[in-house]
Amino acid sequence: MTMSNTFVDAYPDQARFIRRVFATSFTAFAVGAFFGLIQALHRTDILRVLESPDYYTVLTGHGVFLVLSFTIFFLVGVYQWAVTDSLERRPVDMRFTWGWYGLMVLGTLLAAFAILAGFVEEIDVSADTLFTFYAPLQGHPIFYVGLVLFVVGTWLAGVDWFRSWWAWKGDHPGERIPLPTFMVLTTMIMWYISSIGVAVAILAFILPWTLGLVESVNPTLTRTLFWYFGHPVVYFWLLPAYLLWYILLPKLSGGRLFSDPLARVVFILFILLSTPVGIHHQYLDPGIADGFKFIVMTNTMFLLLPSLLTAFTVVASMEHGARQRGGTGYVGWLRALPWREPAFTGMALAGLVFAFGGFTGIVNAGMNINYLVHNSLWVPGHIHTQVGTATALTFMAGSYWLVPQLTGNRLVGRTIGLVQVLLWFIGIVFMTNSMYRGGLVGMPRRTAEPQYEGFQYEVAAGSVGELNAQLAIGGVLLFVSAMLFLALMLLTLFNPDSEPIDNRTIPAPLSGPDDAPAVLDNLKLWTAIAAVLVLLAYSLPLASIVTRGGLFGPDIGPFPVTIEESGSIELVRMGLEFALETVGR
Ligand code: HAS
Ligand code: CU
């Protein structure tokens, strides 16, 4: 059977669509990365281009543009590719596909407008809520409307992929779901179950509150609904990276995926366990009983399993590939891997950093140790090793393979690409080393003024100056790396040279779907079990939160988010009052 070599040859209209989606993703990436640079230099007091109150506008933009726009646009592009390529069919109705993309763009534009308007005094719109937009911080309603449209867009994207699968099933009765499509569908089931939480939080509480339709909200309730979604959303960022590791890394390594059944088990475990753990972000919240927190800690520790299985399967596949290429020895095979390929090296480095960040996640998840690191700079350290590298670096590395597939153009600057992924790696090591260590001595996250005049941090080894230097150096390297990546993508888009491009075929796994019990493909069953687990984990905590604080809570007063220099004392006073009140209750 002859098969067209590249994806764009086989599905030109799909390739065009995905190129557009990636372009949107990369635009958000450019802005978010620039904001990151501003923050790294501001926080460390090395270069301040704006007033400290504006820091929170930048921080909100940094979070929203990177972890919502960049990652999610990229992943819907990857999923569109994965479904089309593995089912070998286009969407049922391409207008529907453009429709959900349009909705996501509209939502992004509205949210971006609300955030960026925070810089302009003349416009009475702002949303300095940070990317964790729960009460009592309040943004302009446009911000929340934008978020809702964006999320609804992703829901429709899922509908699109399910429709493709149903159509395919009609033509292929009794066949196993191709693995990439299986990964897409299971991720979307997890996403449906979990994003309901944020939809309810916004539509039932936050939006009516910002519109003045209700007097107040119950802040613990909106926080809990947010984190109900806020943990699974991190797997919405991670699982597309896993898809690329499972599908592309074995091929790039010169081998085959070690086990298709094990990969299916991993994705099912994510459906089951991603959601009933969100309260691990609330260990320090008053108003939730310790017993519930303990259950959530136990669930979280079980949730390590699918990632540990992934580490095993992906590394085993890489070893298989290396041995095909002549690698030998217990660890000597590592040398036989294609380290000159930026697509490979970027993903391998992302995996390495993720292993480390995974262990810091285990630290976070321990109820008692969490008290040490919560709200400290340690947490942004964790964020940047996880979504900032495992996800972001994998997406960049994946683009080095995918974008030639989508354009039919040879990748420009393979060696520069290699430098780019290395720079990211080095930058992240510097920056997160500083963040983790700073967090351990109590440096807070999310503040423009971490120096607290006159206060001395007791840094065990090194000094505050050294930690700041590492943070700033890391931030600059990451920004340079991001710009290099975007430049290479642009040059590749306009590269007339179309040779040589890798073949698009994905080699068959060593242990294929026939070795996987049929029950693994029973998506309805896993969805039902997941729903039961969610009910078990959340019904009692939610009932207790509502009983104590009321569905719409006691009024805690308007909590302004735009911080005026003179208003900040008032803000602190209200915060303290609120905290005391909650503890008192
Ligand atoms: Fe997390 C906070 C616990 C994973 C993102 N996390 C956050 C926040 C973000 C985030 C954004 O329990 C901050 C939210 C905020 O603003 O407040 N996290 C965990 C745990 C895991 C975990 C247990 N997090 C992630 C992932 C993220 C992410 C993934 C994004 C993509 N996290 C927490 C907790 C908090 C938290 C608490 C609250 C902290 C607080 O107090 O506020 C686990 O899923 C991690 C499991 C991973 C592993 C690693 C397995 C290793 C692998 C590597 C394979 C190697 C390869 C390469 C492929 C056990 C798979 C080999 C290379 C060769 C050369 C051979
Ligand atoms: Cu979490």
Side-chain angles (χ1 to χ4, degrees):
M1 190 181 92
T2 54
M3 187 163 155
S4 41
N5 196 32
T6 55
F7 184 79
V8 62
D9 288 341
Y11 308 99
D13 58 335
Q14 289 296 290
R16 186 170 145 257
F17 174 76
I18 300 168
R19 285 200 304 268
R20 184 69 64 83
V21 177
F22 278 11
T24 317
S25 161
F26 295 159
T27 309
F29 183 54
V31 183
F34 178 60
F35 282 10
L37 179 68
I38 296 182
Q39 277 157 223
L41 298 177
H42 190 103
R43 239 198 100 97
T44 50
D45 205 9
I46 288 172
L47 174 72
R48 298 198 154 181
V49 293
L50 29 84
E51 301 288 317
S52 281
D54 280 338
Y55 180 88
Y56 304 94
T57 310
V58 172
L59 187 53
T60 306
H62 177 67
V64 170
F65 298 149
L66 289 182
V67 302
L68 297 180
S69 319
F70 159 58
T71 51
I72 296 182
F73 272 112
F74 191 87
L75 82 87
V76 295
V78 166
Y79 281 7
Q80 191 65 40
W81 162 75
V83 169
T84 308
D85 198 62
S86 68
L87 298 182
E88 295 181 45
R89 70 191 300 141
R90 7 172 91 67
V92 178
D93 180 356
M94 198 56 201
R95 282 169 309 181
F96 183 74
T97 309
W98 281 104
W100 58 253
Y101 164 71
L103 205 57
M104 287 176 68
V105 170
L106 179 65
T108 305
L109 290 176
L110 292 179
F113 167 74
I115 295 170
L116 297 176
F119 291 121
V120 188
E121 230 154 75
E122 289 73 35
I123 311 177
D124 192 22
V125 172
S126 73
D128 303 342
T129 58
L130 309 182
F131 84 97
T132 50
F133 38 83
Y134 39 67
L137 295 186
Q138 200 181 57
H140 193 279
I142 292 181
F143 175 65
Y144 304 105
V145 171
L147 291 177
V148 168
L149 293 181
F150 181 77
V151 171
V152 171
T154 63
W155 288 351
L156 296 178
V159 169
D160 204 4
W161 301 323
F162 270 96
R163 279 171 88 192
S164 293
W165 170 55
W166 288 321
W168 175 89
K169 215 161 56 159
D171 300 344
H172 302 77
E175 277 184 40
R176 299 307 293 262
I177 310 173
L179 184 60
T181 299
F182 182 86
M183 292 173 163
V184 171
L185 299 180
T186 44
T187 308
M188 290 315 289
I189 292 174
M190 177 206 76
W191 179 241
Y192 285 125
I193 295 176
S194 62
S195 50
I196 292 171
V198 78
V200 171
I202 294 181
L203 292 174
F205 302 107
I206 296 180
L207 202 53
W209 173 56
T210 51
L211 288 170
L213 299 176
V214 295
E215 284 279 296
S216 62
V217 289
N218 175 342
T220 311
L221 181 59
T222 71
R223 276 174 71 88
T224 306
L225 287 171
F226 179 89
W227 287 121
Y228 168 93
F229 140 94
H231 185 77
V233 74
V234 312
Y235 296 130
F236 200 42
W237 307 326
L238 179 71
L239 295 185
Y242 273 14
L243 183 146
L244 293 173
W245 294 359
Y246 277 103
I247 305 300
L248 289 187
L249 261 185
K251 173 186 166 80
L252 294 171
S253 307
R256 294 154 64 183
L257 175 62
F258 186 71
S259 166
D260 165 302
L262 214 47
R264 285 178 204 252
V265 168
V266 163
F267 277 72
I268 288 169
L269 285 171
F270 277 114
I271 302 187
L272 298 183
L273 291 171
S274 291
T275 315
V277 297
I279 292 177
H280 69 214
H281 292 261
Q282 298 176 282
Y283 287 142
L284 269 147
D285 277 23
I288 299 177
D290 276 353
F292 297 140
K293 293 175 179 169
F294 186 83
I295 292 171
V296 158
M297 172 168 76
T298 316
N299 288 352
T300 306
M301 296 305 171
F302 277 115
L303 183 50
L304 299 174
L305 184 63
S307 288
L308 296 171
L309 287 174
T310 298
F312 170 76
T313 311
V314 173
V315 175
S317 310
M318 287 162 66
E319 177 178 349
H320 169 73
R323 294 197 189 281
Q324 301 307 300
R325 297 162 58 99
T328 51
Y330 281 126
V331 285
W333 56 267
L334 280 167
R335 278 197 307 264
L337 288 168
W339 294 107
R340 293 187 165 280
E341 276 305 328
F344 170 82
T345 302
M347 284 194 221
L349 291 176
L352 213 60
V353 172
F354 182 64
F356 184 76
F359 297 130
T360 66
I362 302 175
V363 170
N364 296 346
M367 235 172 111
N368 46 354
I369 318 181
N370 182 271
Y371 296 168
L372 178 69
V373 297
H374 185 66
N375 273 346
S376 78
L377 203 47
W378 167 283
V379 173
H382 173 71
I383 299 179
H384 287 88
T385 47
Q386 305 294 82
V387 62
T389 300
T391 298
L393 185 54
T394 299
F395 286 1
M396 289 185 264
S399 303
Y400 287 137
W401 188 85
L402 273 170
V403 169
Q405 289 292 322
L406 297 172
T407 54
N409 304 343
R410 181 180 54 80
L411 176 69
V412 175
R414 218 176 62 159
T415 317
I416 304 177
L418 207 53
V419 172
Q420 186 266 318
V421 296
L422 272 171
L423 272 184
W424 192 276
F425 176 75
I426 298 168
I428 215 74
V429 168
F430 271 120
M431 196 177 78
T432 59
N433 175 42
S434 161
M435 288 176 157
Y436 281 125
R437 285 171 52 211
L440 287 180
V441 297
M443 291 187 182
R445 68 186 284 204
R446 294 180 154 172
T447 171
E449 309 285 352
Q451 63 277 14
Y452 291 134
E453 220 145 310
F455 182 83
Q456 293 289 325
Y457 289 107
E458 287 189 33
V459 186
S463 66
V464 172
E466 168 253 339
L467 289 181
N468 277 343
Q470 286 205 43
L471 201 154
I473 292 173
V476 171
L477 291 181
L478 290 171
F479 180 72
V480 172
S481 172
M483 292 304 118
L484 273 182
F485 167 73
L486 292 173
L488 291 184
M489 286 296 108
L490 262 182
L491 291 174
T492 301
L493 182 63
F494 295 108
N495 184 14
D497 187 353
S498 62
E499 299 288 335
I501 298 179
D502 198 5
N503 194 294
R504 77 183 168 98
T505 40
I506 305 294
L510 286 172
S511 165
D514 296 339
D515 298 333
V519 67
L520 293 182
D521 285 15
N522 188 343
L523 299 181
K524 284 192 190 127
L525 174 69
W526 304 117
T527 310
I529 299 178
V532 172
L533 291 177
V534 165
L535 281 179
L536 284 178
Y538 270 101
S539 49
L540 290 179
L542 282 176
S544 122
I545 290 167
V546 172
T547 319
R548 286 213 221 176
L551 203 51
F552 289 93
D555 192 3
I556 54 146
F559 228 99
V561 173
T562 6
I563 301 170
E564 319 265 321
E565 225 102 43
S566 58
S568 53
I569 303 288
E570 178 65 2
L571 189 77
V572 170
R573 192 187 60 77
M574 284 197 295
L576 281 175
E577 261 175 20
F578 167 65
L580 288 173
E581 208 175 284
T582 326
V583 173
R585 239 185 291 123

